[in-house]
Structures are given as C-alpha cells and as structure tokens.
Amino acid sequence: MGRFDASEDNNYFSLSIESRINKQQTKTITVLFLNSDYEIIFKKQNKFEWKENDEKFQYRSSFINSHTKSLYVLNFRFGGDYKLELINNDGYKIKDFNFQSNMIKMLNITGDKDHFYCLGFYSNNDRNTNDGIFYSKFSNDLELLDEKEISYSKQLLEEDQSKLQKKKGLSSYKSNIQFSLNKISIKNNDLYLFGELQLRLYNDGRAYDDIIAACLTKNGELNWSRLVKKNQNLDDYSYTSYKTFFIKNNYILLFNSALNLDDIKQDKKSPKPLKGQKLNLFSVNFNEQGEFDFKQLTNKKTDFNYIILESNQLENEKIVLFGNRKKENKIMTIKF
C-alpha cells in the first residue's frame, strides 16, 4: 500500500509505503520525503508489532508543512479515537488522541507554517439539538491548543434548510442522514470546509445529496455556513456529483443534477435515477460573505453530458470538462 502527498506550493512531496509480515504480526511504514527535483531529503521508518486495535485505525487525511519540511498524518478509528503522526528529519512521532467532545465526527487535517487544524462536522444523538462544525488547533509538535464545537449559522438553519430538514433535523447519528466531509483548505487566511448530506440506503449503499460549505477564521470563529440544494440522486451512488475550485479568490462549486434550475430552487427532489441518464451542469459561486448564486450551464435535452468528476482546473481561471453524447465526445472550457 502506498500514498502520495504534495505540499500546497508543490515544493515538497512524500511517498508513504506500508508493508507487513503477517507471520510475525509486524507492520512497517516507510516515508520518503522529496524536494521538487525528486531528491530524497530524508527517509524514515516506523516498525511495530500490530494488534487488533491497530488494524482498526484507518487513514483519514494528511498534509505537508513546507516551512518545517514535515509530514502530518491523521488516522481514525470508529468510536472517536485518533492517531496523529509527525514525520520529519528529526524522527517519526506518533500520538494517540481523544478529543474532549463526544459528538460523532469525522475530521480532516490541514495547516500553515505555524499550526495545523483538525476540522469536521459533528452530529448529535438528540434530534432536537443542532449539529455543527468541530474545530481544533495544534502546534507543529502535536500539542492541542484549542478545540470547540461551533453551531451552524442562523442563515443555514432558518433559510437554507427545507421544511423536512427543519422538522427531522439536518443530520443525526440515529437517522439515515449524516454529513460526509469532502474537503478542507486554507484560502485568504481562512479555513474552508465542504461536505455533503449522505443518505444511508436499505442495501447499505450511500447516496449523496445537498452540499454544506463553511468558512472559519484560524481562531475558530464562524464567518459563515451555507447549505446548497443539489437534490440529486445518481445512478451510481458510490461517488459525489460535485467538485470545488478556488478561482479569483473565491470558491466555485460545479455539480450535476437531473433537475432544472427552477426545480432546484423550489427544493424539488429528482426522480429515481436511470442508468446512463442525462444530467445538467450547474455552478455555484460564493463571495467572501458566503452569499452565492446558482447558474445552469447546460441543458440535458440539447447539450452533451458533462460529468463534473472528469474535470480539471487550468491557468487558475479555466475549468476543462469532457462531455459525451452517444458516440460523440466534446471538450468544454469554462472561464470565470
């Protein structure tokens, strides 16, 4: 097993390789840390005897601090236990961690040169209690400096939610709806989180629905949080139908939906999907205050079928998508 990480400035890279010997019940993690010329700066190994509990930990997230030339890794075990790893030229440091909050949460990790942050969404077992955003701040040597639970904004709770969501609760560990954390990042000196409402299906599958977006200061103060109606059920439940892009100092979401713009604004749910159905393409543009607007970019009746997962950002201002219609293929470029 292997994992590749790149720093935000693309000056440093790391390759983490896991190997195990089952007969000896040992596991070795080897980390190669390289510069932009692919020269190895350091190589570190962590070899240990694994137990049943060790095997239950799963990789969640990682990032490289270019200033300290360090790799940070966050691992998770269901039930709320976390392992933090710090790998640099000085060694391979591991710290078990239990946050004070006992809310159900799934975290990702990101950071700047001075600190790193574990962020995510938390859910309550009590449907009458609002869920929210979990924030924690660490020093570069894995010391916890702050942690807090942050309620969603009044705008999200009172304006963005549908009547059904207000009645049943946005998400609950006991319900069939939870938030899935997709992305966290640092832009414009603020912290951004993106996730989706995730519906558990009768066959243990998952379907992805509305999008949540939030912006925090680095000290954990909420700037804004919004719920974006996507109302989409895909014929393939195994992947999300949206993607984020940071263009001209603001975030832009692109997503697919079988609905038209008027139906989305009226909170109308899409019908049960058909295999290979045609989809419309939408953009959602956020400003610094969290205000956003929908734009329908294609019409499924006349345009090619552009799938958002098959897209890439070029030259900071352009997004390229690949479309198809029967036996024809087409490339579309969107400039913002």
Side-chain angles (χ1 to χ4, degrees):
M1 296 176 62
R3 189 184 70 254
F4 178 81
D5 289 284
S7 63
E8 183 74 16
D9 55 15
N10 288 323
N11 286 332
Y12 299 99
F13 309 95
S14 69
L15 181 62
S16 303
I17 304 169
E18 177 184 311
S19 58
R20 67 180 68 194
I21 302 176
N22 290 335
K23 290 183 179 180
Q24 299 179 8
Q25 291 192 321
T26 60
K27 181 162 63 175
T28 302
I29 299 176
T30 304
V31 177
L32 302 177
F33 198 90
L34 307 95
N35 61 21
S36 57
D37 294 323
Y38 301 105
E39 298 170 334
I40 296 177
I41 299 177
F42 63 80
K43 174 183 176 180
K44 298 295 177 182
Q45 281 190 326
N46 177 39
K47 184 177 181 179
F48 58 94
E49 293 183 2
W50 55 262
K51 302 177 183 178
E52 182 182 358
N53 286 343
D54 296 319
E55 292 302 287
K56 291 181 179 179
F57 275 92
Q58 299 178 2
Y59 166 80
R60 272 299 301 168
S61 182
S62 54
F63 91 99
I64 290 176
N65 185 327
S66 291
H67 184 72
T68 61
K69 300 181 180 63
S70 302
L71 171 67
Y72 292 84
V73 181
L74 177 67
N75 297 308
F76 168 79
R77 181 173 65 188
F78 186 79
D81 298 329
Y82 288 87
K83 282 183 182 290
L84 286 168
E85 299 180 358
L86 165 59
I87 305 100
N88 54 28
N89 199 40
D90 295 329
Y92 198 122
K93 184 178 180 180
I94 301 176
K95 186 175 183 179
D96 293 336
F97 213 89
N98 293 318
F99 292 97
Q100 293 179 2
S101 169
N102 59 1
M103 303 292 185
I104 303 301
K105 53 189 175 290
M106 188 58 73
L107 306 179
N108 279 3
I109 187 174
T110 189
D112 52 29
K113 70 174 185 177
D114 298 315
H115 303 95
F116 70 90
Y117 307 85
C118 292
L119 309 171
F121 302 111
Y122 69 84
S123 299
N124 234 314
N125 288 339
D126 183 0
R127 291 191 180 186
N128 296 319
T129 305
N130 288 329
D131 306 331
I133 301 162
F134 181 82
Y135 163 92
S136 59
K137 179 180 180 179
F138 289 80
S139 68
N140 283 337
D141 59 357
L142 306 186
E143 178 187 358
L144 178 64
L145 303 176
D146 190 16
E147 84 172 271
K148 64 177 75 173
E149 296 160 4
I150 305 167
S151 297
Y152 294 128
S153 66
K154 183 178 180 180
Q155 193 170 27
L156 184 152
L157 295 173
E158 296 185 3
E159 298 179 22
D160 294 345
Q161 289 192 91
S162 66
K163 292 181 180 179
L164 185 61
Q165 287 169 337
K166 291 178 182 178
K167 180 180 178 180
K168 291 190 173 184
L170 197 59
S171 63
S172 169
Y173 181 60
K174 291 182 178 179
S175 73
N176 289 326
I177 303 174
Q178 295 181 39
F179 266 121
S180 172
L181 179 63
N182 302 124
K183 179 184 180 68
I184 65 172
S185 66
I186 299 177
K187 300 292 184 182
N188 295 337
N189 212 33
D190 285 325
L191 303 169
Y192 289 85
L193 299 84
F194 295 93
E196 283 177 291
L197 284 176
Q198 189 182 82
L199 287 69
R200 292 203 301 267
L201 305 177
Y202 66 92
N203 60 355
D204 292 329
R206 296 289 188 270
Y208 297 98
D209 200 32
D210 296 342
I211 303 166
I212 187 170
C215 177
L216 312 175
T217 68
K218 289 184 178 180
N219 290 323
E221 301 299 323
L222 181 65
N223 288 331
W224 51 263
S225 60
R226 301 300 304 269
L227 188 69
V228 179
K229 293 181 176 65
K230 180 159 64 73
N231 303 335
Q232 173 61 34
N233 292 317
L234 295 177
D235 61 309
D236 186 346
Y237 296 122
S238 62
Y239 65 85
T240 174
S241 70
Y242 89 99
K243 202 169 182 179
T244 62
F245 301 91
F246 191 74
I247 297 176
K248 294 183 177 178
N249 287 325
N250 287 302
Y251 262 106
I252 293 173
L253 309 183
L254 293 184
F255 70 87
N256 293 118
S257 176
L259 299 178
N260 293 315
L261 183 59
D262 291 340
D263 293 329
I264 285 182
K265 289 186 175 181
Q266 293 172 9
D267 200 34
K268 179 181 177 182
K269 292 293 179 182
S270 62
K272 185 176 180 180
L274 301 174
K275 189 68 177 178
Q277 72 179 136
K278 293 182 179 179
L279 301 170
N280 295 318
L281 178 66
F282 290 85
S283 70
V284 178
N285 298 19
F286 286 93
N287 63 19
E288 294 180 359
Q289 291 73 43
E291 301 296 331
F292 65 89
D293 63 298
F294 288 94
K295 290 183 180 179
Q296 184 171 338
L297 303 180
T298 63
N299 186 328
K300 64 181 181 180
K301 293 182 179 180
T302 57
D303 292 326
F304 280 64
N305 210 26
Y306 294 95
I307 304 301
I308 184 56
L309 293 186
E310 301 170 1
S311 61
N312 289 284
Q313 183 174 344
L314 299 177
E315 301 173 0
N316 276 336
E317 298 181 0
K318 296 179 182 178
I319 298 174
V320 177
L321 299 99
F322 298 90
N324 62 77
R325 184 174 60 190
K326 295 182 180 180
K327 295 183 179 181
E328 297 180 89
N329 297 293
K330 198 172 185 179
I331 296 175
M332 177 172 67
T333 301
I334 307 171
K335 186 173 182 179
F336 293 90

